[in-house]
Amino acid sequence: MLLQPHQRVKLDDTEDTLFYAYPRFVTHVDNNFISQLTNLYRQELKPHTKILDLMSSWVSHLPPEMEFSHIEGHGMNEDELKKNDRLDHYFLQNLNSNLQLPLEDNDFDAVLCTVSIQYLQYPEAIFMEVARILKPGGVAIFSFSNRMFYQKAITAWRDATDRQRIFLTKSYFQSVPEFETPEVIAQQPETPTFLQMLGMGAKDPFYAVYARKK
């Protein structure tokens, strides 16, 4: 295991189901981030394939013009998942207490996870599960920015810089032999920091780490 017990700790250690009991019908990243993520999906996903949207919500970032054979959703709040009209089916599961996905081996062409990796307390186990359910050649794409529910992110993520978070995500992939070498996209805003502090021209940084199953 890559992480030590103290690195998995959250500031708010109450039951996750309580925290996610009420829907949050908001977007957690800006339009710049969403646009870059959708373009990455256009590049890496193929039409008429089977997709798992892991730790999903009420919005989809999939390209609207692309059709898929099946989109499976996963999350912690049913009201949010019901509102996501791209999902063909969904299931509820706390990945910090139940580490095994109720899905078949070698069944999905892609697994996507958007701005949620920071909440996984046992990411190594979840990445093993992602590899298990992916078909050979299938892709897993984990994207994130610098936003989070701070009290629910694990210590290893909270205490890290953005650059360290990229390396941490790469290490999750590298801990699973079934994955090829991960690729990284890192797009940081060009606006000077002092202007961002004034609320002028600020954009969310966009980070994505992705790899294919051997």
PDB file of all heavy atoms in Angstrom, residues 48-52 67-73 86-90 108:
ATOM      1  N   HIS A  48     -20.106   4.607 -28.907  1.00  0.00           N
ATOM      2  CA  HIS A  48     -20.733   3.291 -28.824  1.00  0.00           C
ATOM      3  C   HIS A  48     -19.923   2.325 -27.954  1.00  0.00           C
ATOM      4  O   HIS A  48     -19.836   1.125 -28.244  1.00  0.00           O
ATOM      5  CB  HIS A  48     -20.957   2.711 -30.220  1.00  0.00           C
ATOM      6  CG  HIS A  48     -21.639   3.670 -31.156  1.00  0.00           C
ATOM      7  ND1 HIS A  48     -22.924   4.141 -30.951  1.00  0.00           N
ATOM      8  CD2 HIS A  48     -21.183   4.289 -32.275  1.00  0.00           C
ATOM      9  CE1 HIS A  48     -23.242   4.986 -31.922  1.00  0.00           C
ATOM     10  NE2 HIS A  48     -22.203   5.100 -32.734  1.00  0.00           N
ATOM     11  N   THR A  49     -19.306   2.866 -26.912  1.00  0.00           N
ATOM     12  CA  THR A  49     -18.584   2.037 -25.961  1.00  0.00           C
ATOM     13  C   THR A  49     -19.244   2.155 -24.589  1.00  0.00           C
ATOM     14  O   THR A  49     -20.133   2.977 -24.374  1.00  0.00           O
ATOM     15  CB  THR A  49     -17.102   2.452 -25.873  1.00  0.00           C
ATOM     16  OG1 THR A  49     -17.021   3.869 -25.602  1.00  0.00           O
ATOM     17  CG2 THR A  49     -16.367   2.152 -27.172  1.00  0.00           C
ATOM     18  N   LYS A  50     -18.785   1.341 -23.645  1.00  0.00           N
ATOM     19  CA  LYS A  50     -19.397   1.259 -22.319  1.00  0.00           C
ATOM     20  C   LYS A  50     -18.555   2.048 -21.322  1.00  0.00           C
ATOM     21  O   LYS A  50     -17.353   1.809 -21.177  1.00  0.00           O
ATOM     22  CB  LYS A  50     -19.515  -0.195 -21.888  1.00  0.00           C
ATOM     23  CG  LYS A  50     -20.377  -0.420 -20.653  1.00  0.00           C
ATOM     24  CD  LYS A  50     -20.620  -1.910 -20.413  1.00  0.00           C
ATOM     25  CE  LYS A  50     -21.538  -2.138 -19.225  1.00  0.00           C
ATOM     26  NZ  LYS A  50     -21.782  -3.586 -18.994  1.00  0.00           N
ATOM     27  N   ILE A  51     -19.200   2.976 -20.604  1.00  0.00           N
ATOM     28  CA  ILE A  51     -18.510   3.936 -19.752  1.00  0.00           C
ATOM     29  C   ILE A  51     -18.985   3.787 -18.306  1.00  0.00           C
ATOM     30  O   ILE A  51     -20.176   3.624 -18.047  1.00  0.00           O
ATOM     31  CB  ILE A  51     -18.801   5.386 -20.210  1.00  0.00           C
ATOM     32  CG1 ILE A  51     -18.537   5.562 -21.720  1.00  0.00           C
ATOM     33  CG2 ILE A  51     -17.995   6.384 -19.386  1.00  0.00           C
ATOM     34  CD1 ILE A  51     -17.118   5.418 -22.139  1.00  0.00           C
ATOM     35  N   LEU A  52     -18.049   3.889 -17.366  1.00  0.00           N
ATOM     36  CA  LEU A  52     -18.388   4.024 -15.952  1.00  0.00           C
ATOM     37  C   LEU A  52     -17.995   5.426 -15.500  1.00  0.00           C
ATOM     38  O   LEU A  52     -16.838   5.813 -15.591  1.00  0.00           O
ATOM     39  CB  LEU A  52     -17.663   2.988 -15.094  1.00  0.00           C
ATOM     40  CG  LEU A  52     -17.785   3.188 -13.569  1.00  0.00           C
ATOM     41  CD1 LEU A  52     -19.238   3.099 -13.110  1.00  0.00           C
ATOM     42  CD2 LEU A  52     -16.912   2.191 -12.816  1.00  0.00           C
ATOM     43  N   GLU A  67     -22.407   9.418 -28.708  1.00  0.00           N
ATOM     44  CA  GLU A  67     -23.319   8.438 -28.143  1.00  0.00           C
ATOM     45  C   GLU A  67     -22.523   7.229 -27.661  1.00  0.00           C
ATOM     46  O   GLU A  67     -21.536   6.825 -28.291  1.00  0.00           O
ATOM     47  CB  GLU A  67     -24.360   8.007 -29.178  1.00  0.00           C
ATOM     48  CG  GLU A  67     -25.298   9.122 -29.613  1.00  0.00           C
ATOM     49  CD  GLU A  67     -26.366   8.628 -30.562  1.00  0.00           C
ATOM     50  OE1 GLU A  67     -26.421   7.399 -30.820  1.00  0.00           O
ATOM     51  OE2 GLU A  67     -27.156   9.462 -31.059  1.00  0.00           O
ATOM     52  N   PHE A  68     -22.960   6.666 -26.549  1.00  0.00           N
ATOM     53  CA  PHE A  68     -22.287   5.511 -25.973  1.00  0.00           C
ATOM     54  C   PHE A  68     -23.284   4.369 -25.795  1.00  0.00           C
ATOM     55  O   PHE A  68     -24.488   4.613 -25.663  1.00  0.00           O
ATOM     56  CB  PHE A  68     -21.645   5.888 -24.639  1.00  0.00           C
ATOM     57  CG  PHE A  68     -20.620   6.983 -24.751  1.00  0.00           C
ATOM     58  CD1 PHE A  68     -20.972   8.314 -24.548  1.00  0.00           C
ATOM     59  CD2 PHE A  68     -19.314   6.695 -25.100  1.00  0.00           C
ATOM     60  CE1 PHE A  68     -20.040   9.332 -24.669  1.00  0.00           C
ATOM     61  CE2 PHE A  68     -18.369   7.704 -25.235  1.00  0.00           C
ATOM     62  CZ  PHE A  68     -18.730   9.029 -25.020  1.00  0.00           C
ATOM     63  N   SER A  69     -22.782   3.149 -25.815  1.00  0.00           N
ATOM     64  CA  SER A  69     -23.681   2.002 -25.708  1.00  0.00           C
ATOM     65  C   SER A  69     -24.312   1.901 -24.323  1.00  0.00           C
ATOM     66  O   SER A  69     -25.463   1.478 -24.180  1.00  0.00           O
ATOM     67  CB  SER A  69     -22.928   0.712 -26.042  1.00  0.00           C
ATOM     68  OG  SER A  69     -21.871   0.491 -25.108  1.00  0.00           O
ATOM     69  N   HIS A  70     -23.561   2.311 -23.299  1.00  0.00           N
ATOM     70  CA  HIS A  70     -24.093   2.286 -21.932  1.00  0.00           C
ATOM     71  C   HIS A  70     -23.228   3.181 -21.058  1.00  0.00           C
ATOM     72  O   HIS A  70     -22.001   3.130 -21.126  1.00  0.00           O
ATOM     73  CB  HIS A  70     -24.084   0.859 -21.368  1.00  0.00           C
ATOM     74  CG  HIS A  70     -24.636   0.776 -19.969  1.00  0.00           C
ATOM     75  ND1 HIS A  70     -25.982   0.622 -19.726  1.00  0.00           N
ATOM     76  CD2 HIS A  70     -24.025   0.824 -18.760  1.00  0.00           C
ATOM     77  CE1 HIS A  70     -26.177   0.580 -18.405  1.00  0.00           C
ATOM     78  NE2 HIS A  70     -25.007   0.705 -17.805  1.00  0.00           N
ATOM     79  N   ILE A  71     -23.885   4.010 -20.239  1.00  0.00           N
ATOM     80  CA  ILE A  71     -23.165   4.838 -19.270  1.00  0.00           C
ATOM     81  C   ILE A  71     -23.672   4.478 -17.885  1.00  0.00           C
ATOM     82  O   ILE A  71     -24.831   4.733 -17.549  1.00  0.00           O
ATOM     83  CB  ILE A  71     -23.364   6.336 -19.535  1.00  0.00           C
ATOM     84  CG1 ILE A  71     -22.911   6.698 -20.961  1.00  0.00           C
ATOM     85  CG2 ILE A  71     -22.577   7.164 -18.512  1.00  0.00           C
ATOM     86  CD1 ILE A  71     -23.197   8.133 -21.353  1.00  0.00           C
ATOM     87  N   GLU A  72     -22.795   3.874 -17.111  1.00  0.00           N
ATOM     88  CA  GLU A  72     -23.113   3.483 -15.732  1.00  0.00           C
ATOM     89  C   GLU A  72     -22.619   4.582 -14.795  1.00  0.00           C
ATOM     90  O   GLU A  72     -21.506   5.067 -14.918  1.00  0.00           O
ATOM     91  CB  GLU A  72     -22.419   2.170 -15.381  1.00  0.00           C
ATOM     92  CG  GLU A  72     -22.767   1.619 -14.012  1.00  0.00           C
ATOM     93  CD  GLU A  72     -24.128   0.963 -13.957  1.00  0.00           C
ATOM     94  OE1 GLU A  72     -24.708   0.682 -15.039  1.00  0.00           O
ATOM     95  OE2 GLU A  72     -24.616   0.709 -12.834  1.00  0.00           O
ATOM     96  N   GLY A  73     -23.467   4.977 -13.884  1.00  0.00           N
ATOM     97  CA  GLY A  73     -23.091   6.007 -12.929  1.00  0.00           C
ATOM     98  C   GLY A  73     -22.907   5.444 -11.537  1.00  0.00           C
ATOM     99  O   GLY A  73     -23.519   4.445 -11.172  1.00  0.00           O
ATOM    100  N   ARG A  86     -27.463  11.694 -18.693  1.00  0.00           N
ATOM    101  CA  ARG A  86     -26.595  10.861 -19.536  1.00  0.00           C
ATOM    102  C   ARG A  86     -26.448   9.443 -18.987  1.00  0.00           C
ATOM    103  O   ARG A  86     -25.948   8.554 -19.688  1.00  0.00           O
ATOM    104  CB  ARG A  86     -25.196  11.489 -19.659  1.00  0.00           C
ATOM    105  CG  ARG A  86     -25.109  12.770 -20.446  1.00  0.00           C
ATOM    106  CD  ARG A  86     -25.621  12.668 -21.885  1.00  0.00           C
ATOM    107  NE  ARG A  86     -24.930  11.695 -22.700  1.00  0.00           N
ATOM    108  CZ  ARG A  86     -23.869  11.962 -23.483  1.00  0.00           C
ATOM    109  NH1 ARG A  86     -23.362  13.177 -23.505  1.00  0.00           N
ATOM    110  NH2 ARG A  86     -23.341  11.028 -24.234  1.00  0.00           N
ATOM    111  N   LEU A  87     -26.857   9.230 -17.757  1.00  0.00           N
ATOM    112  CA  LEU A  87     -26.688   7.906 -17.150  1.00  0.00           C
ATOM    113  C   LEU A  87     -27.804   6.968 -17.577  1.00  0.00           C
ATOM    114  O   LEU A  87     -28.986   7.303 -17.506  1.00  0.00           O
ATOM    115  CB  LEU A  87     -26.667   8.025 -15.618  1.00  0.00           C
ATOM    116  CG  LEU A  87     -25.599   8.927 -15.004  1.00  0.00           C
ATOM    117  CD1 LEU A  87     -25.709   8.906 -13.488  1.00  0.00           C
ATOM    118  CD2 LEU A  87     -24.203   8.516 -15.457  1.00  0.00           C
ATOM    119  N   ASP A  88     -27.430   5.768 -18.002  1.00  0.00           N
ATOM    120  CA  ASP A  88     -28.416   4.724 -18.317  1.00  0.00           C
ATOM    121  C   ASP A  88     -28.810   3.944 -17.065  1.00  0.00           C
ATOM    122  O   ASP A  88     -29.900   3.379 -16.994  1.00  0.00           O
ATOM    123  CB  ASP A  88     -27.842   3.756 -19.360  1.00  0.00           C
ATOM    124  CG  ASP A  88     -27.554   4.455 -20.673  1.00  0.00           C
ATOM    125  OD1 ASP A  88     -28.496   5.032 -21.260  1.00  0.00           O
ATOM    126  OD2 ASP A  88     -26.391   4.446 -21.117  1.00  0.00           O
ATOM    127  N   HIS A  89     -27.910   3.918 -16.102  1.00  0.00           N
ATOM    128  CA  HIS A  89     -28.149   3.206 -14.852  1.00  0.00           C
ATOM    129  C   HIS A  89     -27.148   3.744 -13.839  1.00  0.00           C
ATOM    130  O   HIS A  89     -26.124   4.310 -14.212  1.00  0.00           O
ATOM    131  CB  HIS A  89     -27.954   1.692 -15.046  1.00  0.00           C
ATOM    132  CG  HIS A  89     -28.235   0.880 -13.830  1.00  0.00           C
ATOM    133  ND1 HIS A  89     -27.239   0.468 -12.948  1.00  0.00           N
ATOM    134  CD2 HIS A  89     -29.401   0.400 -13.329  1.00  0.00           C
ATOM    135  CE1 HIS A  89     -27.795  -0.221 -11.971  1.00  0.00           C
ATOM    136  NE2 HIS A  89     -29.091  -0.288 -12.162  1.00  0.00           N
ATOM    137  N   TYR A  90     -27.465   3.613 -12.561  1.00  0.00           N
ATOM    138  CA  TYR A  90     -26.527   4.065 -11.538  1.00  0.00           C
ATOM    139  C   TYR A  90     -26.658   3.196 -10.296  1.00  0.00           C
ATOM    140  O   TYR A  90     -27.646   2.475 -10.116  1.00  0.00           O
ATOM    141  CB  TYR A  90     -26.758   5.538 -11.185  1.00  0.00           C
ATOM    142  CG  TYR A  90     -28.105   5.841 -10.582  1.00  0.00           C
ATOM    143  CD1 TYR A  90     -28.368   5.626  -9.221  1.00  0.00           C
ATOM    144  CD2 TYR A  90     -29.135   6.362 -11.365  1.00  0.00           C
ATOM    145  CE1 TYR A  90     -29.599   5.898  -8.672  1.00  0.00           C
ATOM    146  CE2 TYR A  90     -30.375   6.642 -10.810  1.00  0.00           C
ATOM    147  CZ  TYR A  90     -30.601   6.406  -9.471  1.00  0.00           C
ATOM    148  OH  TYR A  90     -31.831   6.670  -8.928  1.00  0.00           O
ATOM    149  N   PHE A 108     -15.864  -2.792 -19.115  1.00  0.00           N
ATOM    150  CA  PHE A 108     -15.997  -1.382 -19.474  1.00  0.00           C
ATOM    151  C   PHE A 108     -14.850  -0.933 -20.375  1.00  0.00           C
ATOM    152  O   PHE A 108     -13.718  -1.376 -20.227  1.00  0.00           O
ATOM    153  CB  PHE A 108     -16.043  -0.502 -18.221  1.00  0.00           C
ATOM    154  CG  PHE A 108     -17.346  -0.584 -17.471  1.00  0.00           C
ATOM    155  CD1 PHE A 108     -17.563  -1.600 -16.551  1.00  0.00           C
ATOM    156  CD2 PHE A 108     -18.360   0.330 -17.707  1.00  0.00           C
ATOM    157  CE1 PHE A 108     -18.770  -1.694 -15.864  1.00  0.00           C
ATOM    158  CE2 PHE A 108     -19.565   0.250 -17.030  1.00  0.00           C
ATOM    159  CZ  PHE A 108     -19.775  -0.765 -16.107  1.00  0.00           C
TER     160      PHE A 108
END
